[in-house]
Amino acid sequence: MSLSETIKHEARALGFDAVGISRVVPSPQRTDAGDQPDPLPASSPPSGGEGRGEGTSCLFVERLMEWLRRGYHGVMAWMERDPQRRADPTLVLPGCRSVISVGMNYFTGQQANEGPGYGRIASYAWGHDYHRVLGNRLEQLEDRIKALAPKARTRSYVDTGPVMEKAWAQQAGLGWIGKHTNLVSTQFGSWLLLGEILTTLDLDPDEPAEDLCGTCALCIKACPTGAIVEPYVVDARRCVSYLTIELRSSEEAIPDDLAIKMGNRIFGCDDCLDICPYNIQAQPTEEPAFRATPLTLAPSLQELAELDEPSFTAMFHKSPIRRTKLAGLRRNVSIACDNESRHQAAISLSAPNQAPSLCHSKSVSL
């Protein structure tokens, strides 16, 4: 096998379900935030053909700058810092020639409890923190690469570094960036968690994935808050994932019109992913770390509202949910309880004998 094929074989042996390689060819003329070229239309999807990587850095930064210009990043200030570095891996790892993109299937096939009194957690957070699961295996893959090519330099990331991982994953053939801006795979649907290794090795690239969304707009229609403002463009400030995770501030910081539409979602949102027709091909993961627990599959709003700091830390120490911190989770739970109270009040008006809500927002202290 070639070195590229050997690396892919090692990646699959470590439990990665998808692996591909893209070639890094930086743009010959780099622009900065103060002198940007006319950006490509933000609604135009990645073509998937950029000459196996040639010019992709320029293309990525143009789209990123247009998104930032519109203010769609909200309070995520790190997105603004040095966008050229985010788009060009050679500024992250000098001499970078290739990006090895990997994906792990996290679809469990389990169903969340949507009954009264329960919150909803995005399925990627049902099990252990994917940053650790993928990160540990990427470190092992780096070790194997260095054993195969001792002079190679590598650097790995799992959603934590200045790398546009979805764009490079598309270039590596893992899938395409759908209209909801998440990666879609013909084999795994919407359920791939991504990581990557930057390397100075000049590896054989894979064919970029072709955009297969066509005229489908189900994900746009499914978004509860209208965050997908046009195909391939998300205003993060309206996204439930942003509101429940990234916006770490008081309950009052979330506008009422958005809070009402959050429903019972207390950590992230799967609506635009669930609806994708390509999910019909998805098979449950064999990775035990991603399996749901009784807590994450059916989180009791009242029990979560009563958590103290030690209980929160013990309950979520292996979970990405700890990112919200206790105050953030309490805020989200309070909103979910208020929304359930509104829903039950509306039902009571039309059906006076309806059973009362199992969630009491007055029990939530912020």
Side-chain angles (χ1 to χ4, degrees):
M1 290 190 292
S2 67
L3 179 57
S4 299
E5 289 302 320
T6 300
I7 290 173
K8 291 178 184 178
H9 174 79
E10 295 291 342
R12 294 188 182 97
L14 286 168
F16 293 111
D17 297 296
V19 56
I21 297 170
S22 48
R23 178 170 291 154
V24 175
V25 182
S27 174
Q29 289 186 331
R30 290 176 179 152
T31 58
D32 57 39
D35 183 23
Q36 285 297 315
D38 291 335
L40 296 178
S43 61
S44 56
S47 67
E50 308 296 327
R52 289 179 178 261
E54 290 83 348
T56 52
S57 295
C58 182
L59 175 64
F60 295 166
V61 78
E62 287 171 353
R63 294 182 179 180
L64 173 60
M65 290 305 302
E66 173 64 10
W67 186 75
L68 292 171
R69 185 190 66 78
R70 297 186 184 190
Y72 289 163
H73 58 299
V75 299
M76 297 183 290
W78 65 90
M79 297 293 296
E80 302 179 82
R81 290 196 291 268
D82 199 357
Q84 281 287 353
R85 187 167 182 262
R86 184 172 294 277
D88 187 349
T90 65
L91 300 179
V92 180
L93 176 66
C96 179
R97 300 296 302 277
S98 305
V99 177
I100 305 166
S101 295
V102 299
M104 289 188 73
N105 174 26
Y106 69 98
F107 176 67
T108 68
Q110 297 168 285
Q111 294 293 320
N113 189 332
E114 296 281 11
Y118 295 103
R120 180 67 188 269
I121 294 171
S123 57
Y124 79 83
W126 285 357
H128 291 178
D129 190 340
Y130 70 93
H131 297 92
R132 296 180 180 179
V133 178
L134 272 72
N136 291 339
R137 298 187 195 189
L138 278 175
E139 290 177 1
Q140 295 178 59
L141 183 56
E142 285 186 274
D143 291 340
R144 297 188 185 188
I145 290 172
K146 291 172 183 176
L148 294 166
K151 294 184 180 180
R153 285 180 289 124
T154 62
R155 186 167 297 174
S156 63
Y157 294 105
V158 182
D159 198 25
T160 53
V163 180
M164 300 179 73
E165 60 183 7
K166 289 181 285 188
W168 288 107
Q170 171 162 336
Q171 288 296 313
L174 270 63
W176 69 96
I177 299 174
K179 292 178 182 177
H180 48 25
T181 74
N182 294 292
L183 199 77
V184 183
S185 162
T186 54
Q187 181 178 358
F188 301 103
S190 301
W191 314 116
L192 278 180
L193 295 167
L194 302 176
E196 59 279 329
I197 294 177
L198 312 185
T199 179
T200 54
L201 290 171
D202 191 3
L203 300 174
D204 300 327
D206 291 289
E207 289 288 343
E210 180 182 356
D211 186 332
L212 299 179
C213 283
T215 60
C216 180
L218 291 175
C219 60
I220 298 175
K221 297 175 182 177
C223 180
T225 57
I228 309 175
V229 294
E230 58 185 273
Y232 309 100
V233 182
V234 170
D235 182 348
R237 300 167 300 180
R238 299 186 61 84
C239 177
V240 173
S241 290
Y242 170 89
L243 296 171
T244 57
I245 302 171
E246 303 297 345
L247 192 61
R248 301 176 188 178
S249 54
S250 67
E251 183 177 353
E252 289 71 28
I254 300 178
D256 288 342
D257 64 317
L258 295 178
I260 291 172
K261 294 175 181 178
M262 286 167 54
N264 69 336
R265 303 169 187 86
I266 60 174
F267 188 91
C269 180
D270 284 332
D271 288 23
C272 68
L273 304 178
D274 281 333
I275 199 68
C276 181
Y278 283 94
N279 291 340
I280 195 171
Q281 304 290 342
Q283 297 295 318
T285 181
E286 296 180 2
E287 174 53 56
F290 296 144
R291 300 292 295 178
T293 67
L295 169 65
T296 56
L297 208 59
S300 166
L301 293 174
Q302 189 159 352
E303 290 179 11
L304 291 177
E306 297 169 355
L307 284 180
D308 56 18
E309 195 69 52
S311 298
F312 173 82
T313 301
M315 189 174 291
F316 297 115
H317 73 286
K318 291 184 177 181
S319 167
I321 296 173
R322 71 184 188 280
R323 285 186 58 201
T324 64
K325 303 186 182 304
L326 178 58
L329 183 63
R330 281 178 169 173
R331 177 203 60 188
N332 299 340
V333 168
S334 176
I335 291 173
C337 283
D338 287 343
N339 286 336
E340 180 165 311
S341 295
R342 293 189 189 96
H343 179 67
Q344 292 294 337
I347 292 176
S348 296
L349 289 175
S350 58
N353 295 325
Q354 176 70 31
S357 170
L358 299 178
C359 176
H360 304 286
S361 59
K362 66 180 181 181
S363 68
V364 182
S365 58
L366 297 176

